[in-house]
């Protein structure tokens, strides 16, 4: 059995002259947790609906287990969905909601009982069988929706922003539960969110989407440490992005100074964008720091202070630190060569991967 | 001040209802009058009811009326459900609103016009006037009512419920029978009972399209009243009123027993 469960081949989706997905290709492997991450309206739900079979691609092909499923209706696909609004059936109680798929498949009453009980146990809802849906809280409903999907033992579960309606505490709790559930079941999850922290915390692989195209795909650390462009860098956490020039391999200039870095494979004097994450910046005295900056404002964020500074060239520098500074004072910023990440302007994902490979070995 | 306002509102409401119901109650009371006319109540009697119940002709008419009402309401409900589902699934909004408007025009247009046009239609098509023509016309004027009662329930239903059912393997028919129909049950009941009462008390349309000695109660009461005053009419009207009352109460009981519920991420 091939390890690829879903394959999109140059899929384009157009809704009334509006291109929602533009020539998208990707593969999804068995048993992993995937996240589709992107701003509102970028086409995340559309990808899920294409996989589930609620819409057909305008162009291109979708393969499940290497069979083209373009013309296969949703009810015949080995995929189950957890909907954003849960879509639980209001006229059925918890047990019957979970049993819905099994009843359609004419599974014997005895087996239905056993499997539903198991599924409810999986999501920690034992003893809720006879509750009406209206008697369940938001988090409980979400778990009923998950139980209703996994009870069918699908190869693939699609989850469309299932946590967005929950409060922060419950959401974090459910993130752990979902991740753990996926690993226990060993099936593939495709999870949609526009919350980058959620994506980073839960996924094996992240697809970052914008305006109907996949900007970058990779593991959470890949995407966080080596964003391919400004959009990804901005979307995945906060970052300081300044203009710079690549003087030579491992040597970059920005803020009118020259710094060592670990990036290579650029042309000489190529204009680039330089990224340093706020948590990689250390505050020292103005004399010892690599860049002298003036503190503009300071915000308490609970775990850390978010300090906003400006250097002499009007570049903004965000710093995350547990230490407090005085607003208006001049301080120095220090960082390691590894903290610097260089982005080539307008580089595609394929070119980016090629360049990384070239200098990694 | 507030209390006084409320007292005024209540008594006003009471007065309006008293005026509305007075003729019926007046009529019902005189159906027990042994005097034989509506002037002066003489003695309490079941005479008129006895006369009514021994009148087999009237009994057959009553049966006719009930059969037409039950049959037409049932058929109209089935057709209406299909119609509402069809209108609901139309994606083209212009076409959809056009169909809805056509539907509503049928509801608001005067019975006399509907009756007359059916009469013309049946004569042109060579359909003989009688049970069948009455049944057909009752079905026809009931369908738009059923559609209008069911559509709001369909609109209220989240489209993701249908996606969810399909996602769980339901075929198109299973989606309808296991998700959509249970969801719109209260609308179906409302449509059925409204169609039933519309058929039971229809006079104008039936008057046009009936023939061959086939009669319904409304038409019969009309012709009885034209023949001259008989308290038999009072007795008959009282019975019809009681039946309608029971139907309405029955519907009320059914619709409040199980409250429709909304499901969402949070309330
Ligand atoms: N059935 C449809 N008809 C027309 N346009 C549609 C339809 N479904 C989606 N779109 C459009 O496609 C685009 C992408 O929609 P999609 O639902 O995939 O976004 P999303 O990434 O899931 O956004 P969100 O985070 O807000 O849920 C949007 O611009 C939307 O207006
Ligand atoms: Mg969406």
């Amino acid at each position: 059995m091939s390890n690829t469960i879903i394959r999109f081949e140059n899929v384009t989706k157009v809704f009334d002259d509006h291109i929602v997905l533009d020539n998208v290709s990707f593969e999804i492997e068995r048993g992993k947790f995937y996240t589709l991450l992107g701003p509102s309206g970028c086409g995340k739900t559309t990808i899920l609906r294409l996989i589930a079979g609620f819409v057909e691609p305008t162009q291109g092909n979708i393969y499940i287990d290497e069979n083209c499923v373009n013309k296969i209706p949703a009810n015949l696909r080995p995929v189950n969905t957890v909907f954003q609004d849960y879509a639980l059936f209001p006229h059925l109680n918890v047990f019957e909601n979970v049993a819905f798929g099994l009843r359609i498949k004419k599974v014997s009453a005895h087996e239905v009982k056993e499997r539903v009980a198991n599924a409810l146990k999986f999501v920690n809802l034992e003893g809720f069988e006879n509750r009406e849906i209206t008697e369940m809280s938001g988090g409980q409903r979400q778990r009923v929706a998950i139980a209703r999907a996994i009870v069918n033992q699908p190869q693939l579960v699609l989850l469309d922003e299932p946590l967005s309606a929950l409060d922060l505490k419950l959401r974090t709790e459910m993130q752990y539960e979902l991740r753990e559930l996926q690993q226990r079941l060993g099936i593939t999850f495709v999870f949609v969110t526009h919350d980058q922290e959620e994506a980073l915390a839960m996924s094996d692989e992240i697809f970052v989407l914008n305006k109907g195209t996949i900007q970058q795909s990779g593991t959470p650390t890949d995407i966080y440490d080596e964003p391919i462009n400004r959009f990804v860098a901005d979307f995945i956490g906060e970052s300081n992005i300044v203009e710079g020039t690549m003087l030579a391999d491992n040597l970059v200039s920005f803020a009118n100074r020259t710094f060592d870095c670990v990036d290579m494979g650029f042309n000489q004097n190529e204009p680039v964008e330089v990224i340093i994450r706020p948590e990689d910046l250390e505050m020292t005295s103005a004399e010892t720091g690599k860049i002298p900056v003036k503190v503009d404002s300071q915000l308490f964020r609970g775990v850390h202070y978010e300090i906003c500074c400006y250097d002499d060239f009007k570049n903004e520098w965000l710093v995350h630190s547990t230490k407090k500074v005085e607003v208006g004072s001049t301080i120095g910023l220090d960082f390691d060569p590894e903290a610097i990440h260089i982005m080539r302007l307008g580089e595609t994902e394929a070119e980016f991967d090629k360049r990384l490979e070239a200098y990694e070995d | 001040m507030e209390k006084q306002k409320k007292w005024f509102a209540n008594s006003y409401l009471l007065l309006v209802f008293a005026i509305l119901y007075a003729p019926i109650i007046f009529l019902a009371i005189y159906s027990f009058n042994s005097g034989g006319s509506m002037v002066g109540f003489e003695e309490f009697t079941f005479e008129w009811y006895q006369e009514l119940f021994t009148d087999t002709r009237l009994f057959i008419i009553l049966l006719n009326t009930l059969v037409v009402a039950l049959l037409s309401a049932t058929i109209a409900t089935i057709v209406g459900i299909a119609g509402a589902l069809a209108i609901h699934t139309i994606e083209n909004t212009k076409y959809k609103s056009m169909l809805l408007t056509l539907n509503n025009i049928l509801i608001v247009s005067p019975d006399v016009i509907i009756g007359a046009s059916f009469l013309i239609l049946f004569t042109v098509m060579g359909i003989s006037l009688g049970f069948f023509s009455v049944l057909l016309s009752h079905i026809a004027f009931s369908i738009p009512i059923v559609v209008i009662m069911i559509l709001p329930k369909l609109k209220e239903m989240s489209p993701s419920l249908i996606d969810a059912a399909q996602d769980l393997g339901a075929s198109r028919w299973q989606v309808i029978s296991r998700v959509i129909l249970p969801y719109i049950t209260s609308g179906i009941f409302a449509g059925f009972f409204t169609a039933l009462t519309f058929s039971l008390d229809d006079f104008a349309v039936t008057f046009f399209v009936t023939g061959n000695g086939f009669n319904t109660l409304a038409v019969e009461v009309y012709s009885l009243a034209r023949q001259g005053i008989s308290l038999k009419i009072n007795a008959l009207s009282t019975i019809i009123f009681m039946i309608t009352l029971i139907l309405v109460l029955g519907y009320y009981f059914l619709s409040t027993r199980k409250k429709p519920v909304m499901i969402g991420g949070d309330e």
Side-chain angles (χ1 to χ4, degrees):
Chain A
M1 199 158 55
S2 141
N3 215 20
T4 303
I5 179 161
I6 299 282
R7 190 154 60 84
F8 270 47
E9 192 180 79
N10 305 100
V11 172
T12 296
K13 179 69 198 173
V14 180
F15 282 122
D16 336 300
D17 300 334
H18 173 57
I19 299 176
V20 172
L21 284 184
D22 189 5
N23 202 7
V24 169
S25 300
F26 62 84
E27 284 185 6
I28 284 178
E29 284 176 15
R30 230 170 267 283
K32 285 196 184 173
F33 196 116
Y34 286 84
T35 299
L36 305 180
L37 176 66
S40 189
C42 69
K44 305 180 296 287
T45 300
T46 306
I47 290 182
L48 284 200
R49 293 177 66 81
L50 282 164
I51 298 175
F54 303 128
V55 287
E56 276 181 35
T58 313
Q59 264 166 36
N61 296 314
I62 297 170
Y63 298 87
I64 298 183
D65 282 329
E66 292 307 317
N67 300 315
C68 181
V69 293
N70 285 15
K71 295 282 171 209
I72 308 272
N75 56 335
L76 301 178
R77 297 195 187 187
V79 171
N80 286 112
T81 309
V82 177
F83 291 84
Q84 181 160 7
D85 62 352
Y86 310 145
L88 298 172
F89 304 119
H91 60 286
L92 302 176
N93 64 16
V94 170
F95 182 92
E96 286 303 326
N97 260 284
V98 178
F100 191 91
L102 301 177
R103 297 236 190 268
I104 296 277
K105 290 191 201 87
K106 304 241 180 330
V107 173
S108 73
H110 175 74
E111 196 186 333
V112 168
K113 214 171 166 193
E114 202 179 299
R115 279 169 71 175
V116 171
N118 266 335
L120 286 176
K121 205 162 117 192
F122 236 105
V123 295
N124 290 327
L125 281 180
E126 288 161 295
F128 285 86
E129 282 84 353
N130 295 322
R131 288 272 198 108
E132 292 300 321
I133 297 303
T134 40
E135 296 166 359
M136 305 288 277
S137 73
Q140 289 170 334
R141 285 179 197 187
Q142 194 233 353
R143 281 184 278 182
V144 176
I146 292 170
R148 189 177 66 174
I150 62 170
V151 77
N152 305 291
Q153 298 163 350
Q155 303 178 37
L156 182 65
V157 178
L158 309 173
L159 304 104
D160 193 355
E161 304 197 31
L163 306 183
S164 59
L166 309 180
D167 64 62
L168 187 65
K169 194 158 170 291
L170 190 55
R171 192 155 84 207
T172 326
E173 227 170 83
M174 290 305 301
Q175 287 172 2
Y176 280 107
E177 283 189 28
L178 267 183
R179 176 69 177 147
E180 200 232 350
L181 182 74
Q182 183 266 335
Q183 281 166 342
R184 257 193 296 164
L185 290 169
I187 55 181
T188 318
F189 273 34
V190 179
F191 183 90
V192 161
T193 184
H194 54 241
D195 178 341
Q196 79 281 358
E197 281 178 35
E198 198 165 280
L200 291 171
M202 299 173 78
S203 332
D204 292 316
E205 291 267 337
I206 299 177
F207 293 157
V208 183
L209 290 142
N210 189 29
K211 294 183 184 150
T213 57
I214 296 182
Q215 301 285 319
Q216 188 172 9
S217 58
T219 64
T221 41
D222 278 354
I223 288 184
Y224 190 82
D225 292 341
E226 275 151 11
I228 183 173
N229 57 29
R230 207 179 178 106
F231 173 81
V232 177
D234 255 347
F235 203 76
I236 299 269
E238 286 180 281
S239 43
N240 298 297
I241 306 178
V242 295
E243 319 262 297
T245 311
M246 205 64 192
L247 300 175
D249 278 356
N250 297 336
L251 202 62
V252 62
S253 127
F254 57 91
N256 215 18
R257 283 157 195 251
T258 309
F259 301 93
D260 288 333
C261 67
V262 293
D263 297 72
M264 44 181 129
F266 294 86
N267 302 324
Q268 205 174 6
N269 292 329
E270 181 178 334
V272 291
E273 283 177 320
V274 178
I275 297 182
I276 305 179
R277 295 282 181 193
E279 66 273 19
D280 290 337
L281 291 171
E282 292 280 346
M283 298 187 296
T284 59
S285 64
E287 296 78 43
T288 51
K290 288 183 177 164
I291 305 175
V293 293
K294 201 167 152 69
V295 177
D296 187 61
S297 60
Q298 174 171 260
L299 209 64
F300 182 55
R301 289 288 194 133
V303 194
H304 57 252
Y305 288 95
E306 185 174 288
I307 300 144
C308 178
C309 317
Y310 286 93
D311 64 16
D312 300 337
F313 307 95
K314 299 257 182 310
N315 291 317
E316 187 187 20
W317 294 94
L318 276 184
V319 184
H320 287 176
S321 170
T322 47
K323 280 176 260 166
K324 249 174 114 162
V325 289
E326 205 171 308
V327 174
S329 63
T330 302
I331 56 167
L333 296 179
D334 196 13
F335 46 86
D336 298 330
E338 289 79 27
I340 300 177
H341 172 63
I342 312 277
M343 297 187 305
R344 193 170 230 169
L345 301 172
E347 193 172 38
T348 67
E349 195 178 5
E351 289 162 358
F352 175 76
D353 288 343
K354 217 163 144 196
R355 183 165 59 80
L356 280 194
E357 263 169 41
Y359 78 78
E360 259 166 14
D361 36 55
Chain B
M1 187 65 196
E2 207 39 41
K3 219 173 180 177
Q4 210 174 6
K5 225 173 175 174
K6 204 161 180 184
W7 179 86
F8 179 76
N10 278 340
S11 45
Y12 178 75
L13 206 66
L14 214 67
L15 185 73
V16 170
F17 271 103
I19 292 173
L20 283 177
Y21 277 84
I24 301 170
I25 292 167
F26 187 64
L27 199 112
I29 290 171
Y30 273 90
S31 71
F32 299 105
N33 181 16
S34 64
S37 77
M38 297 270 278
V39 269
F41 195 96
E42 285 174 20
E43 252 176 273
F44 185 88
T45 176
F46 276 121
E47 186 188 336
W48 309 111
Y49 287 88
Q50 268 161 1
E51 204 175 302
L52 203 64
F53 285 116
T54 48
D55 188 342
T56 43
R57 207 181 80 86
L58 252 182
F59 188 69
I60 287 170
I61 289 172
L62 179 72
L63 271 186
N64 285 344
T65 313
L66 287 178
V67 167
V68 167
L70 284 171
L71 262 183
S72 70
T74 308
I75 296 171
T77 304
I78 292 166
V79 179
I81 291 170
L85 284 177
I87 291 179
H88 183 69
T89 46
I90 291 171
E91 273 168 18
N92 184 334
T93 45
K94 232 181 200 168
Y95 185 48
K96 190 174 189 167
S97 68
M98 190 188 78
L99 275 180
L100 264 179
T101 313
L102 284 179
N103 187 70
N104 294 348
I105 286 174
L106 281 181
I107 296 179
V108 296
S109 53
D111 282 356
V112 183
I113 293 183
I114 293 182
S117 45
F118 271 123
L119 179 62
I120 295 165
L121 180 75
F122 290 145
T123 352
V124 168
M125 286 176 65
I127 295 174
S128 68
L129 301 182
F131 168 75
F132 196 60
S133 61
V134 172
L135 179 67
L136 270 185
S137 57
H138 279 216
I139 292 170
F141 74 64
S142 297
I143 289 172
I145 300 162
V146 176
V147 169
I148 210 78
M149 299 298 240
I150 290 176
L151 269 180
K153 292 297 295 180
L154 282 174
K155 228 178 252 170
E156 173 195 301
M157 189 174 71
S158 154
S160 63
L161 285 185
I162 295 171
D163 287 344
Q166 272 183 319
D167 189 71
L168 293 165
S171 64
R172 196 170 293 196
W173 169 244
Q174 282 169 327
V175 170
I176 292 177
S177 66
R178 298 196 183 199
V179 176
I180 299 180
L181 289 185
Y183 194 95
I184 61 172
T185 310
S186 64
I188 293 173
F189 270 114
F192 177 79
F193 279 107
T194 318
L196 201 66
T197 44
F198 269 54
S199 168
L200 277 178
D201 71 1
D202 174 72
F203 168 73
V205 176
T206 315
F207 188 68
F208 273 97
V209 297
T210 193
N212 287 333
F214 183 82
N215 249 350
T216 63
L217 269 183
V219 177
E220 179 66 14
V221 170
Y222 172 76
S223 47
L224 279 180
R226 283 185 54 115
Q227 281 162 22
I229 297 164
S230 156
L231 290 191
K232 229 165 85 180
I233 304 174
N234 292 36
L236 187 57
S237 309
T238 308
I239 289 174
I240 296 176
F241 178 68
M242 290 314 289
I243 290 174
T244 319
L245 197 68
I246 288 165
L247 279 180
V248 170
L249 288 179
Y251 169 66
Y252 176 79
F253 178 71
L254 275 177
S255 63
T256 49
R257 195 185 46 171
K258 204 170 179 196
K259 279 236 167 76
V261 281
M262 279 285 293
I263 292 281
D266 47 0
E267 256 109 329

